[in-house]
Amino acid sequence: MKIVIIGAGEVGYHVARRLALEHKDVVVVDRDGAALRRVSDSLDVQVVRGEGGSPLVLQEAGIREAEILLAVTDSDEVNLVACLVTDMLSPNTRKLVRIRNADFDACHSLLREGAPHIESVINPEIEAVRTIERLIRLPGAVEAGELVGGLVQFVGIRLDEGSSMDGMPLPELPKYLGSAKVLVAAVLRDEKLIIPSGKDFLKAGDLVYLVSGKKHLLQVMEAFGKASKPVRRVLIVGGGRLGLRLAASLEKDHYQVKIIERRSDRCRELAARLEKAVILHGDGSDQSLLAEENVRGVDVMVTLTGDEQTNILVSLLARKMGVGAAITRLTRFAYFPLMSSIGVHQIVSPRLSAIDSILQHIRRGKVLSTLSIQGEQAEVMEAVALPTSDIVGRPLSQLSFPKGALVITIIRGDEIIIPSGDSVIAPDDRVVIFARRKSVPKVEKALTVKLEYF
């Protein structure tokens, strides 16, 4: 698979990095020489310097041989022009484009249906808002994702000190949870990701990744000591594009929303575009302002400024002042492993959300969705089991499935199956697979070809 990526920024760089590790043929195009040097110095990919919308540059990048064009520069206009020119030079190349401007929201279907025949329009802010809303609905969860249209829930829960589950062997967990169908997909302990076996146990401080049917999720959360009152009051620090989009969405669901924004002109714009949200002009890191606004009575604070260091500090301050939960926007992936050690647990990254959306279109086989875990340590993939794959027709215990990967759910029609070693995948079942990053290429092959061939 050859992929041409227009844009060597954070999204372009990290998608190229993931794909290079999976031994795909990647070409990165950017006009910024420094950005390209970062790519060429650290990744095994080709680079081409120039404008992504230039026909000559695209031909130099080998667009006619490319299966996919991925346009992810910071300019929506450049991304769209690159897709248009690609459509003229190589009509069969699949085109994925990142568009951040909310003015294009109503045009996504038109872009997919008309010229330049874009396969997918990805807005990282839309994906980030969905992630935030899932965390708001589950304030006891550190990470939360939905699969199979929301029927299957994937959550990460921190096991507290003094929990009755401290030291519990995993085979005994189903007895403790009663009728709730749940599977432990992975455990993060001391920054080490563990794919559990029957010999493993839970330990206080673990970040436990669970997969459960939607109807059993609250029962599971309560069993892990994460029962909480419904969230009604949300305070957003930072009224940029993402803050506005989140506030508008929360208003529709009847949350009580306040926004703190330090730019007076932006405050006026927010007041004009939102119906019910209270707009406060000030600095979200000002402790006296937070106290004046009774931050202790806030159910969830979401820090969405453009400065991630401010976001981290405000989240820590909010938790110290008694806020129920704090969700923090981060952009630098290098910060992810450090956050839990300083007390920042609920993280949202628009860039990571964009990468997840992109990868589901690049993966081989009928991959329907992907979720990144702990930055980029692992991945959850939802896919359709093809009749040609050797994962169908035999008990899971008899499959030589890739090391570091685990089938965590089988969906057959309306039935959600938490699998055991005796479970059998049928053709056209939906399967959810948890895989370490290094195992993903083999999982891709397992979804499309016979396992004995690799």
Side-chain angles (χ1 to χ4, degrees), residues 152 181-184 211-213 408-410 416-420 423:
V152 176
K181 293 182 178 180
V182 64
L183 183 142
V184 177
V211 61
S212 167
I408 56 177
T409 313
I410 302 170
I416 298 173
I417 302 168
I418 302 298
S420 66
S423 300

Side-chain angles (χ1 to χ4, degrees), residues 36-85:
L36 285 181
R37 280 193 297 275
R38 179 195 179 201
V39 172
S40 60
D41 289 348
S42 56
L43 306 180
D44 183 18
V45 302
Q46 296 175 268
V47 298
V48 174
R49 186 172 183 179
E51 288 286 349
S54 164
L56 294 178
V57 171
L58 286 170
Q59 289 183 78
E60 183 182 352
I63 194 63
R64 288 193 171 93
E65 295 77 42
E67 185 173 331
I68 294 174
L69 171 83
L70 176 59
V72 291
T73 75
D74 288 335
S75 168
D76 294 343
E77 292 76 15
V78 169
N79 294 340
L80 287 169
V81 170
C83 290
L84 181 63
V85 175

Side-chain angles (χ1 to χ4, degrees), residues 7-210:
E10 287 297 311
V11 171
Y13 174 86
H14 283 281
V15 171
R17 177 172 173 268
R18 294 275 283 271
L19 298 177
L21 289 170
E22 297 167 17
H23 310 294
K24 292 182 171 63
D25 183 4
V26 179
V27 182
V28 179
V29 177
D30 202 296
R31 64 182 180 181
D32 186 337
L36 285 181
R37 280 193 297 275
R38 179 195 179 201
V39 172
S40 60
D41 289 348
S42 56
L43 306 180
D44 183 18
V45 302
Q46 296 175 268
V47 298
V48 174
R49 186 172 183 179
E51 288 286 349
S54 164
L56 294 178
V57 171
L58 286 170
Q59 289 183 78
E60 183 182 352
I63 194 63
R64 288 193 171 93
E65 295 77 42
E67 185 173 331
I68 294 174
L69 171 83
L70 176 59
V72 291
T73 75
D74 288 335
S75 168
D76 294 343
E77 292 76 15
V78 169
N79 294 340
L80 287 169
V81 170
C83 290
L84 181 63
V85 175
T86 296
D87 206 49
M88 294 186 291
L89 296 176
S90 181
N92 293 327
T93 297
R94 297 162 54 200
K95 292 165 283 294
L96 313 177
V97 60
R98 179 176 75 161
I99 296 180
R100 299 190 296 178
N101 192 331
D103 292 347
F104 283 95
D105 286 359
C107 302
H108 287 188
S109 60
L110 295 176
L111 290 170
R112 288 191 294 266
E113 294 166 3
H117 306 293
I118 293 169
E119 179 176 309
S120 181
V121 179
I122 296 156
N123 187 317
E125 292 170 1
I126 291 177
E127 301 301 325
V129 165
R130 290 173 181 162
T131 300
I132 294 168
E133 289 179 328
R134 285 195 292 268
L135 290 172
I136 288 174
R137 290 194 295 269
L138 293 170
V142 173
E143 296 185 44
E146 293 183 346
L147 301 158
V148 199
L151 291 177
V152 176
Q153 303 286 315
F154 186 85
V155 297
I157 300 174
R158 184 75 60 182
L159 196 64
D160 297 327
E161 293 288 342
S163 169
S164 58
M165 292 190 181
D166 186 6
M168 178 176 291
L170 289 182
E172 295 182 14
L173 188 59
K175 300 176 186 176
Y176 186 85
L177 294 175
S179 62
K181 293 182 178 180
V182 64
L183 183 142
V184 177
V187 174
L188 186 73
R189 180 178 298 159
D190 300 326
E191 304 306 325
K192 180 181 179 182
L193 194 67
I194 301 169
I195 305 294
S197 68
K199 298 178 181 179
D200 288 305
F201 60 91
L202 298 179
K203 182 180 178 182
D206 285 350
L207 178 52
V208 185
Y209 287 101
L210 304 167

